[in-house]
Amino acid sequence: MRSLAPWKIAHSSLSASEFSSFGEHSTITALAVDLDQNALLIAAERRDGLNDSEAQVAIWRLSSEAGAPEEGIPSLVTSFSTPTQLAANPWSKGTAKAGYQASRDSEIVSLHVLPESHSLVVVTRAGDITTIALDEDTPSAEVVGSVDGGIMGAAWSPDDTLLVLVTGEDKLLLMTSTFDVLSEGPLHPKEFGEDAPINVGWGAKHTQFHGSLGKAAAKSSIPPTAVGASPDDDGHVRVSWRGDGAYFTVSVLEGATETESRPRRTLRVYSREAALQSTAEAVPGLEHTLSWRPSGNLIVATQRFGTVPAGENAQSDAGSGLGQGRDGRHDIVFFERNGLRHGEFTLREHVHAEKGKAVSELRRWGYRVREVGWSADSDVLSVWIEREDGDIVQLWTTGNYHWYLKQEVAAPAGQDGAPGRFTSVHWHPEESLRLILTTSSDIIQRTYAWDTFASPSQPPVDSGSVAVIDGTNILLTPFRSQNLPAYLQPAHCKRMPVPAHLSFAPSRDLLAVLWEHGAAQVFDLKTRLGPGRGKVMEPTLLWSGPLGPLGSRSHRQTMFAADTADEDIELSVLATEITSDAVDVVSLVDVLGGKEMTLVEVGLPSHGGRLISSRKVIWQAPDGKLYAVNAETKSASEVAHFPMPVEGTGELTSLYIGLSHSNKLHVSTDESARTLASNVNSFTVTPGFLIFTTTAHVAQFAPLPTLAAVLKTPDASLPEFETRRVERGSRIVTAVPSTMSLVLQMPRGNLETINPRPLVMEIVRQDIDSGNYGKAFTACRKHRVDLNAFVEHNREAFIARIPSFIEQVADVDYINLFLTSLGQGPLPSDLVARICDTMRQELERRDLTKYVNSILTAHVVKRPPDHEAGLALLLRLKESDPALVEDAVKYIIFLVDADKLFDTALGMYDFSLVLMVAQHAQKDPREYLPFLRELRALEQHYQRFRIDDHLRRYEKALNNLSLAGPDRFEEAMAYVEKHQLYDHALSIWRNTDKYESVLNIYGDWLFERRDFREAAFVFRQAHRPEKAMIAHEKALDWQELFELAVQQDVSAEGLKDVAYRDLVSKKRTSEAALVLLDYAKDVREAVIALVEGSHFSEARRIIVLHNRPELLQEIIHPGVLECRARIADDMSEMREQLRKQVNRIRELRVRKVEEPDAFYGVEDTDLHNVDVMTDISMAPTMFTRYTVAPSAVSKTSSKRSSRSKRKLERKVGSGRKGTVDEEEYLLNSVAKLVTRFNATQADSASLLPHLLQFTAEHRTEAASLQRELEEFASELRDAVEEIWAKIPGNEEGVEPLMPAPAADSWAARMEAHEKQKHINPVDKVVKPALGKPEWKLKLPDSRVAPETA
């Protein structure tokens, strides 16, 4: 649905003075593009009428750099003379075969710039190859070689490395860019080529399907003598390369000799090495034109059909030699690389010749096709047609296997009124839509842009119309009503060119048609928006007329004003004067009543701009600046700017949107501009969204208010827009907001209409706000939108309008659907219940009978569902309308699981309702009737208990069981224990005589759970002191225990037994002594308990308090000595451990320095090439060092489970001898030893005062203990200082970088541990601190003489 629209038109001319400096009778014949300098190189030839043996060639440079001083002004590069073909070969009949060329040919066969050497290569028909170094200050021509016999055709490969030449001696040469010959072969080989088809013996032609041609096609065959060339064939050889440079094709006229009267065209395909690949099938009427599509899938030529108009030797006995078909038919035909045909389309040229009579000898049909060519992106095919009244170039595009004629470019007429003729037509090799044409003295550069002519009308009158130019026809499609195009023939003249531009009015159903020469027409389309019979469009011509002198300007764009009145037509037309220094002009056209026209012209700052779709007249300059055109002041003022020039543009509420050629989407206001995305291929604007598609095959929907907010804060990050996946390569055609549709075109040309969720939700929200619930509900159902949107949009407003909603959505099924969606949606449960209740009340008020199913749905969809209320409604309607209840029961069974509904009815204790549900649910009577009979025979409360127990409503069942009578109490207690209903049971039997029994059961349950303290509290409430004492004893609550024990008159022996059994065994000796003193009155046992806990001071206080001095010698003296001996054993054990570990640390550190490889386990790479390993043994590796001791044999399997791997890792760092973690383990052990010694010092500090106060033996032991403590403390302090001392220069190295393994893997964890080995263990283990020696006593009788060294 895209069309080509003119964008930039540059017209340059070699003036008469410039030509005169070179000589008269000069004409431009060839053109080349200098990509490095962004310039054109033009070759002009001059021949002396008196001397046909030499031609003068001048090379001109035309800069295309914007803003350059010489832009648009040609400058002479150099000139040189070259021999003509006649001089090089006087016996030659010309490169064109006899009878096929009436005019003099150009001497230049190829003009090409080599970028590597930045030189211009000129290949002439005489056979000379001339180079011109463009970087020199005064470039000069140098002939680097000549080809005998002349050159008939030449073509450079796309990568500029190879040159194909066809010589006059019928040879095909392949040369390098330095003109070295790589290959030489015949031009007319007899073989087919390397890709010759192979006959496998099946698939005969008469067995194949021939479509509409029928079986006769199987028998038809074209005799070789009936295949001829067209009279329009110029006889020249054509060479064309494929876009990737892998193949080239040659079109040559064969058989035009004295021995053969019927010449014909033949196409051959060669590889890059000039090896023949295939020969095309014989095609009658095939002409000289040739072009290989850059994408590589098609080779283009032309073919004539029918008979040849009258002329000498036009036909022979074998026929005309043209294709079989309608007279005058002229096709563009396509070939594949293998030479087979691949489709065609027919040119739309009018044949001016009368039947059987030629118009002229050169153009027998009144026209002929000179050349064809492809744009750089393979999207546009140019066809150069030479008519009697002047040349034109047609631009064709394809979509969905149909070829559209998009534009026509006519050659400007000569100064004397002679028909205009082009001398060359070229596509720019990089700018895909830039076409360069030359006449004898002019250079015309035309740049096109892809444009979609879509209607910008807004809802509710948006028709979604899109117009497509197809020759003189305009295809109109109103996507709001249909997807099929309607035809519009805008002109009723005998012949009218292809329109240049189309435009729709934003507020009315109008279409403007603009022709480049200055004519315009306006149509009222009268589009039918809604459904109905008759035509969907009935276009009516409102106005037609010229916009000034026809042909004086190049008009390329038109736009409607935003506020066109009902009777007036306001247009803005963009045009450019046809001069080299012209600027753009905007013509503001106002047609009053369709008759009177006023015209205001406003000059613009530069040329090459475009009008953008806007409410005002906005012109975009080539540098991206936007100007507002003022008709009153006839001036243009800047209003905004884009960062770069853009092609597709749009404007809405002062927000300008543009898409650049580099696929960047820009948004601009009068204050700032920003780039939204850099991979956009199309966009459109709706009242609420900017919609664009990306090369990532995603359609994004950007809300316009969000864009405006983003532009106010340029530094803020872009928000995440809603997206939708689309088909690969999709482009937007238009959007129709009223139908919530977006029309996309696929790369192959077919259209797809989708309904994106953002567009749907926008219309749905608008309908909800306006109270149009019926339309909104229909849209949600059609597009599968969650019906919760009605509530989520505005909760309170919807609840207030529920009566209106039910009135518009009156269908029961629709209401049920809405309620079901509500219950399954994400709304809060309380809100769902509120809406359901409100709707249920409204439905009951309107018609209970009609909406009974909806009312049931309202009960069921609540969270949690209210099944009982629904069944209660059925009970209420059961007697009044049995038939209705039967249908309602079936419906509620459809909504709810039958078993769940059966249980709900059973829980209502209504057996009639249970039977009704069971019968309609088709349950087997054998499953439920025996159970119901059993229940009917029971007493009411016990019956309900059985029902509730069956339904697992245990608390309710216990309530009913408690009401069944005192004789059911034991069963109730068993039921409480079974289902652990203790709290509920306590609430039931509170303030009754059974309350203590319930407490007793509850206490037993707590005791079994080992909640002894809680159990004791419950037993005391239940007046069960024995059980409470046991619970206190288990909880070690000795105060509460002995409180109860005294209250229960427990004997002293019993109290003593409790103290020893529970307190002393738990090392709570001080509490045990207190119990023995307070309750058992046993001082001896109390002192013994205190001595066992090393509480000597308290023990001595008790002895003195109770006047028991004999216990001092009997218990305390030996107890103190026993404690001294225990400390001595601990000191000896710690000393032995310290010495062993310090020695081992020293050994490891020496080994680490002397044998680092052995210590860290570095692998010996020399062992990797030794093949002496067995399946049982394995070489030690660096990982072995982390797992097992060096002497151990590894028995690990090659396949370890995850559990075994983790178990293996836990062994790492376990401190086993021989592992690299041993030192760290030893340091940790020494640190723990320091902590242990600090505790021993504290015990010694409490022991020493007592040793010094007793006998001489005790004082001797005190002195010995102090000496041992001081010695070990000194030894331990020295060891700690030695171990944790850092040696300068002995820091660990840094591990080299290694590839990181996968995260959370065994290798990753082992690598982390590998890195840890290079960290000094001293840095990983905190240095321990020795406690302050509080045990030192300075009494005179306790001093110890210092030891001599």
Side-chain angles (χ1 to χ4, degrees):
M1 303 293 286
R2 295 189 300 169
S3 296
L4 281 177
W7 183 8
K8 301 176 183 178
I9 300 177
H11 194 111
S12 302
S13 177
L14 295 177
S15 63
S17 60
E18 292 168 339
F19 267 131
S20 63
S21 65
F22 176 59
E24 298 180 354
H25 309 294
S26 298
T27 181
I28 298 174
T29 58
L31 180 142
V33 181
D34 186 356
L35 296 176
D36 293 339
Q37 301 295 329
N38 194 15
L40 302 180
L41 296 172
I42 303 105
E45 297 183 28
R46 179 181 62 83
R47 298 185 185 182
D48 190 351
L50 301 177
N51 183 10
D52 289 339
S53 63
E54 189 177 69
Q56 295 293 324
V57 178
I59 306 298
W60 300 81
R61 176 187 283 113
L62 179 64
S63 176
S64 300
E65 190 71 30
E70 65 276 8
E71 180 186 4
I73 303 176
S75 60
L76 183 64
V77 177
T78 187
S79 62
F80 61 94
S81 60
T82 180
T84 63
Q85 184 183 14
L86 183 62
N89 187 3
W91 297 274
S92 173
K93 296 182 180 179
T95 56
K97 300 303 179 181
Y100 285 90
Q101 182 66 21
S103 62
R104 183 177 297 177
D105 294 325
S106 167
E107 287 298 325
I108 297 178
V109 179
S110 171
L111 187 70
H112 189 77
V113 177
L114 292 179
E116 184 176 355
S117 60
H118 198 219
S119 59
L120 180 67
V121 180
V122 184
V123 180
T124 63
R125 295 192 184 278
D128 286 353
I129 301 176
T130 305
T131 61
I132 302 171
L134 299 176
D135 291 336
E136 296 181 358
D137 296 335
T138 56
S140 60
E142 178 185 0
V143 178
V144 296
S146 297
V147 178
D148 295 337
I151 297 175
M152 301 169 61
W156 285 89
S157 64
D159 57 1
D160 302 314
T161 58
L162 297 176
L163 172 64
V164 176
L165 298 178
V166 177
T167 70
E169 298 178 350
D170 291 344
K171 292 183 179 179
L172 182 69
L173 300 180
L174 182 65
M175 307 178 74
T176 65
S177 59
T178 56
F179 309 107
D180 296 324
V181 177
L182 295 178
S183 174
E184 181 178 352
L187 182 62
H188 307 286
K190 302 300 182 182
E191 64 274 8
F192 180 88
E194 295 180 0
D195 296 338
I198 300 174
N199 186 0
V200 295
W202 54 272
K205 189 171 183 179
H206 67 275
T207 65
Q208 297 176 1
F209 177 69
H210 296 278
S212 61
L213 299 178
K215 294 183 178 180
K219 302 178 181 179
S220 64
S221 61
I222 302 175
T225 56
V227 178
S230 168
D232 291 343
D233 198 315
D234 62 7
H236 290 312
V237 177
R238 297 293 194 281
V239 181
S240 181
W241 283 83
R242 200 169 77 172
D244 59 356
Y247 299 92
F248 65 90
T249 179
V250 178
S251 174
V252 62
L253 191 64
E254 295 186 339
T257 63
E258 291 80 359
T259 59
E260 297 185 18
S261 60
R262 173 89 57 190
R264 64 184 179 88
R265 274 277 165 181
T266 301
L267 266 66
R268 294 184 176 89
V269 178
Y270 294 84
S271 68
R272 186 178 177 87
E273 293 77 20
L276 180 63
Q277 300 297 301
S278 61
T279 303
E281 56 182 301
V283 177
L286 190 65
E287 296 182 326
H288 57 276
T289 56
L290 180 70
S291 182
W292 200 327
R293 196 175 191 178
S295 60
N297 59 338
L298 295 176
I299 302 173
V300 180
T302 54
Q303 180 186 9
R304 278 285 188 183
F305 291 84
T307 59
V308 180
E312 296 182 3
N313 301 325
Q315 291 182 230
S316 63
D317 296 339
S320 65
L322 305 183
Q324 298 179 4
R326 172 179 54 84
D327 284 347
R329 176 182 167 187
H330 202 176
D331 282 5
I332 300 291
V333 295
F334 304 108
F335 294 85
E336 298 178 3
R337 187 180 67 82
N338 57 12
L340 299 179
R341 283 285 301 275
H342 189 87
E344 68 281 320
F345 70 89
T346 303
L347 294 175
R348 303 173 189 178
E349 288 299 300
H350 177 69
V351 179
H352 297 277
E354 298 180 6
K355 187 175 182 179
K357 185 177 179 181
V359 176
S360 66
E361 189 65 25
L362 182 61
R363 291 175 286 272
R364 301 200 176 199
W365 286 270
Y367 75 95
R368 66 171 182 165
V369 177
R370 287 286 302 273
E371 298 290 349
V372 294
W374 287 100
S375 62
D377 57 1
S378 303
D379 287 342
V380 185
L381 173 67
S382 62
V383 181
W384 176 9
I385 299 177
E386 182 184 282
R387 294 175 178 168
E388 287 291 329
D389 55 353
D391 289 4
I392 64 165
V393 174
Q394 295 181 345
L395 303 183
W396 295 78
T397 63
T398 182
N400 208 15
Y401 305 102
H402 175 77
W403 284 88
Y404 298 86
L405 176 56
K406 294 296 185 182
Q407 290 287 332
E408 281 186 348
V409 183
Q415 296 180 355
D416 54 355
R421 301 295 178 195
F422 291 120
T423 56
S424 67
V425 178
H426 292 272
W427 286 100
H428 195 280
E430 289 187 350
E431 299 180 25
S432 57
L433 296 181
R434 181 177 170 189
L435 183 65
I436 308 170
L437 311 101
T438 63
T439 65
S440 60
S441 61
D442 296 334
I443 303 100
I444 304 170
Q445 302 181 62
R446 301 175 65 93
T447 302
Y448 293 88
W450 291 111
D451 200 351
T452 302
F453 304 131
S455 173
S457 56
Q458 302 297 316
V461 295
D462 53 329
S463 61
S465 297
V466 177
V468 176
I469 296 175
D470 188 11
T472 58
N473 294 324
I474 297 176
L475 310 181
L476 294 169
T477 305
F479 282 99
R480 180 169 176 175
S481 305
Q482 66 179 30
N483 283 7
L484 298 176
Y487 285 86
L488 172 64
Q489 183 72 36
H492 303 282
C493 305
K494 182 178 180 181
R495 176 161 187 82
M496 199 72 173
V498 177
H501 196 264
L502 307 175
S503 177
F504 286 93
S507 57
R508 296 172 58 188
D509 197 18
L510 303 182
L511 173 68
V513 184
L514 176 68
W515 284 267
E516 188 172 351
H517 62 272
Q521 293 180 349
V522 178
F523 291 86
D524 186 356
L525 300 179
K526 298 181 180 180
T527 305
R528 174 171 48 81
L529 299 180
R533 296 181 178 273
K535 296 181 179 180
V536 70
M537 276 187 174
E538 294 183 1
T540 302
L541 180 64
L542 294 182
W543 175 80
S544 177
L547 301 174
L550 296 179
S552 61
R553 291 176 178 172
S554 176
H555 299 77
R556 60 181 188 270
Q557 197 175 6
T558 181
M559 291 288 175
F560 275 98
D563 52 353
T564 302
D566 292 341
E567 299 296 332
D568 298 340
I569 300 173
E570 297 181 13
L571 291 174
S572 56
V573 179
L574 181 64
T576 304
E577 297 286 348
I578 306 178
T579 57
S580 59
D581 56 349
V583 296
D584 288 351
V585 176
V586 172
S587 300
L588 304 177
V589 183
D590 190 359
V591 181
L592 303 177
K595 298 179 181 179
E596 184 179 354
M597 183 189 77
T598 60
L599 183 66
V600 178
E601 295 183 351
V602 180
L604 298 171
S606 62
H607 66 90
R610 282 176 62 84
L611 294 177
I612 71 172
S613 177
S614 172
R615 297 181 180 274
K616 300 177 290 185
V617 181
I618 302 295
W619 176 79
Q620 180 203 182
D623 58 357
K625 294 181 179 179
L626 301 179
Y627 293 84
V629 179
N630 192 323
E632 296 180 358
T633 60
K634 295 185 179 181
S635 62
S637 58
E638 184 178 350
V639 294
H641 73 279
F642 287 118
M644 60 181 67
V646 297
E647 296 179 3
T649 54
E651 184 266 346
L652 191 67
T653 62
S654 300
L655 191 68
Y656 303 96
I657 304 166
L659 179 61
S660 69
H661 182 69
S662 57
N663 294 339
K664 292 184 178 181
L665 185 64
H666 305 283
V667 180
S668 176
T669 62
D670 54 353
E671 298 178 354
S672 61
R674 187 159 187 180
T675 302
L676 288 185
S678 58
N679 60 342
V680 179
N681 57 14
S682 64
F683 79 95
T684 189
V685 180
T686 67
F689 292 95
L690 164 63
I691 309 172
F692 59 92
T693 57
T694 68
T695 54
H697 328 303
V698 173
Q700 298 200 28
F701 302 84
L704 295 181
T706 303
L707 292 182
V710 166
L711 287 177
K712 292 180 180 179
T713 56
D715 297 334
S717 59
L718 291 174
E720 291 291 335
F721 303 130
E722 292 187 72
T723 60
R724 169 173 174 155
R725 299 288 299 177
V726 294
E727 188 174 338
R728 180 183 297 272
S730 299
R731 295 178 182 270
I732 295 175
V733 176
T734 189
V736 189
S738 293
T739 58
M740 302 165 283
S741 60
L742 181 67
V743 183
L744 302 173
Q745 187 168 29
M746 305 301 110
R748 56 186 175 273
N750 60 307
L751 300 176
E752 290 187 5
T753 301
I754 62 175
N755 297 98
R757 187 56 52 91
L759 293 183
V760 173
M761 293 307 300
E762 182 184 23
I763 300 300
V764 168
R765 293 188 186 104
Q766 293 175 3
D767 292 336
I768 293 175
D769 288 336
S770 62
N772 195 349
Y773 291 113
K775 180 184 175 185
F777 189 87
T778 302
C780 290
R781 287 189 64 247
K782 180 179 180 181
H783 301 293
R784 298 182 179 181
V785 176
D786 189 357
L787 297 177
N788 287 279
F790 284 87
V791 183
E792 292 173 344
H793 181 61
N794 192 333
R795 298 180 180 182
E796 297 301 327
F798 176 78
I799 294 174
R801 294 180 180 178
I802 281 179
S804 176
F805 175 82
I806 295 176
E807 182 178 355
Q808 296 182 47
V809 187
D811 189 274
V812 174
D813 292 336
Y814 290 171
I815 295 177
N816 293 343
L817 177 62
F818 172 77
L819 290 171
T820 304
S821 300
L822 203 65
Q824 297 175 353
L827 296 175
S829 301
D830 56 344
L831 179 61
V832 173
R834 180 184 173 190
I835 296 174
C836 289
D837 291 339
T838 306
M839 292 192 68
R840 175 181 55 80
Q841 294 170 5
E842 180 65 22
L843 293 173
E844 291 177 351
R845 186 185 64 82
R846 288 176 178 268
D847 192 341
L848 177 60
T849 303
K850 176 182 177 181
Y851 294 110
V852 61
N853 289 349
S854 300
I855 296 171
L856 291 175
T857 306
H859 286 301
V860 168
V861 299
K862 292 181 181 180
R863 294 195 296 266
D866 193 357
H867 296 156
E868 292 189 6
L871 294 176
L873 175 64
L874 296 182
L875 285 176
R876 194 171 61 184
L877 297 175
K878 183 177 180 182
E879 297 181 359
S880 61
D881 197 343
L884 177 63
V885 172
E886 183 176 352
D887 293 337
V889 170
K890 294 179 181 178
Y891 176 74
I892 197 172
I893 290 174
F894 167 75
L895 292 179
V896 186
D897 181 68
D899 293 335
K900 185 181 294 185
L901 204 62
F902 178 86
D903 292 342
T904 303
L906 186 62
M908 297 174 67
Y909 313 123
D910 191 315
F911 290 100
S912 61
L913 186 60
V914 173
L915 290 173
M916 183 171 59
V917 171
Q919 291 170 1
H920 288 89
Q922 298 182 354
K923 294 178 68 70
D924 188 353
R926 292 175 296 181
E927 296 179 358
Y928 62 88
L929 284 181
F931 178 60
L932 294 181
R933 292 194 189 100
E934 180 184 355
L935 292 176
R936 282 182 179 273
L938 299 176
E939 182 266 334
Q940 178 183 0
H941 293 293
Y942 196 73
Q943 177 191 83
R944 293 185 176 183
F945 160 73
R946 290 287 305 277
I947 292 174
D948 292 331
D949 181 63
H950 173 74
L951 300 178
R952 298 185 178 182
R953 302 188 300 193
Y954 301 123
E955 292 186 357
K956 200 170 183 179
L958 185 60
N959 287 336
N960 288 317
L961 187 58
S962 66
L963 298 175
D967 54 338
R968 299 284 184 181
F969 179 74
E970 294 300 329
E971 183 179 356
M973 292 300 100
Y975 195 77
V976 168
E977 292 181 0
K978 178 179 179 181
H979 298 291
Q980 299 180 5
L981 302 173
Y982 301 103
D983 292 336
H984 192 64
L986 291 172
S987 64
I988 293 175
W989 278 281
R990 192 181 302 277
N991 300 325
T992 65
D993 57 347
K994 303 296 184 181
Y995 184 66
E996 291 185 0
S997 300
V998 178
L999 284 174
N1000 186 36
I1001 296 175
Y1002 181 40
D1004 291 340
W1005 178 73
L1006 290 174
F1007 191 88
E1008 291 175 0
R1009 290 185 55 193
R1010 305 187 67 80
D1011 293 334
F1012 301 118
R1013 184 171 283 106
E1014 291 82 356
F1017 174 75
V1018 172
F1019 284 137
R1020 296 183 74 160
Q1021 279 191 313
H1023 300 96
R1024 298 289 195 275
E1026 299 82 4
K1027 291 185 176 182
M1029 289 176 60
I1030 297 175
H1032 282 310
E1033 181 181 352
K1034 295 293 184 182
L1036 299 179
D1037 296 334
W1038 64 271
Q1039 290 90 345
E1040 290 82 357
L1041 171 63
F1042 288 105
E1043 175 192 359
L1044 288 177
V1046 172
Q1047 293 176 359
Q1048 297 299 318
D1049 298 328
V1050 178
S1051 63
E1053 291 299 326
L1055 294 175
K1056 186 186 299 185
D1057 181 63
V1058 171
Y1060 271 98
R1061 182 176 67 248
D1062 295 330
L1063 297 177
V1064 177
S1065 61
K1066 298 296 190 298
K1067 302 297 182 181
R1068 299 172 66 174
T1069 55
S1070 60
E1071 296 176 357
L1074 185 60
V1075 171
L1076 291 170
L1077 287 173
D1078 292 347
Y1079 297 99
K1081 308 299 182 181
D1082 192 337
V1083 177
R1084 180 184 180 82
E1085 292 298 331
V1087 172
I1088 292 174
L1090 290 172
V1091 170
E1092 287 184 6
S1094 299
H1095 302 295
F1096 301 111
S1097 297
E1098 179 66 14
R1100 293 175 66 182
R1101 187 187 71 83
I1102 295 300
I1103 291 174
V1104 174
L1105 178 65
H1106 292 276
N1107 196 18
R1108 298 287 300 274
E1110 71 278 4
L1111 298 180
L1112 184 64
Q1113 294 184 356
E1114 182 181 349
I1115 299 174
I1116 293 181
H1117 285 185
V1120 169
L1121 294 176
E1122 183 180 351
C1123 182
R1124 161 71 178 91
R1126 186 169 62 250
I1127 291 177
D1129 293 341
D1130 291 343
M1131 295 278 290
S1132 175
E1133 181 183 347
M1134 288 188 287
R1135 184 179 294 104
E1136 181 181 1
Q1137 175 185 346
L1138 177 64
R1139 292 173 180 176
K1140 287 183 178 180
Q1141 291 179 341
V1142 169
N1143 291 333
R1144 181 58 181 169
I1145 291 174
R1146 292 169 181 165
E1147 179 183 347
L1148 289 175
R1149 290 182 175 178
V1150 171
R1151 187 179 177 190
K1152 186 194 302 185
V1153 175
E1154 294 179 352
E1155 301 178 4
D1157 293 346
F1159 182 81
Y1160 289 114
V1162 178
E1163 296 184 38
D1164 187 358
T1165 55
D1166 295 337
L1167 294 177
H1168 291 177
N1169 297 325
V1170 180
D1171 190 13
V1172 295
M1173 307 297 294
T1174 66
D1175 293 337
I1176 301 175
S1177 63
M1178 60 178 292
T1181 66
M1182 60 188 304
F1183 286 119
T1184 311
R1185 192 77 175 85
Y1186 291 91
T1187 55
V1188 297
S1191 60
V1193 179
S1194 176
K1195 299 180 181 179
T1196 57
S1197 172
S1198 60
K1199 294 183 179 180
R1200 292 184 179 273
S1201 64
S1202 177
R1203 183 178 179 181
S1204 63
K1205 288 178 181 178
R1206 294 186 181 276
K1207 182 178 179 181
L1208 181 63
E1209 294 169 23
R1210 285 195 297 269
K1211 294 181 181 179
V1212 177
S1214 61
R1216 288 182 302 167
K1217 189 174 182 180
T1219 63
V1220 294
D1221 301 299
E1222 183 182 358
E1223 183 179 358
E1224 180 180 353
Y1225 169 79
L1226 293 174
L1227 292 179
N1228 285 320
S1229 181
V1230 172
K1232 294 178 182 179
L1233 183 63
V1234 171
T1235 304
R1236 182 181 174 187
F1237 177 66
N1238 290 336
T1240 302
Q1241 289 189 103
D1243 294 341
S1244 300
S1246 63
L1247 176 64
L1248 280 171
H1250 301 286
L1251 287 173
L1252 294 172
Q1253 296 176 26
F1254 297 153
T1255 64
E1257 180 184 1
H1258 289 83
R1259 286 191 291 274
T1260 303
E1261 291 296 331
S1264 174
L1265 178 59
Q1266 276 195 331
R1267 185 171 56 254
E1268 290 178 6
L1269 286 170
E1270 187 172 0
E1271 291 175 355
F1272 185 73
S1274 176
E1275 182 179 358
L1276 182 59
R1277 186 179 299 106
D1278 294 341
V1280 169
E1281 294 298 331
E1282 177 187 354
I1283 293 172
W1284 268 271
K1286 292 185 178 180
I1287 303 175
N1290 195 28
E1291 299 295 332
E1292 301 296 333
V1294 179
E1295 183 186 12
L1297 294 177
M1298 300 172 61
D1304 195 23
S1305 63
W1306 181 80
R1309 293 189 291 271
M1310 292 306 299
E1311 180 183 342
H1313 194 78
E1314 165 73 10
K1315 293 179 180 179
Q1316 292 292 320
K1317 75 177 184 180
H1318 293 282
I1319 301 176
N1320 196 329
V1322 175
D1323 296 331
K1324 293 190 287 184
V1325 181
V1326 180
K1327 179 181 178 181
L1330 269 71
K1332 187 177 180 181
E1334 301 288 347
W1335 43 266
K1336 286 189 176 182
L1337 298 178
K1338 298 181 180 180
L1339 296 177
D1341 56 344
S1342 63
R1343 292 175 184 173
V1344 180
E1347 292 183 355
T1348 59

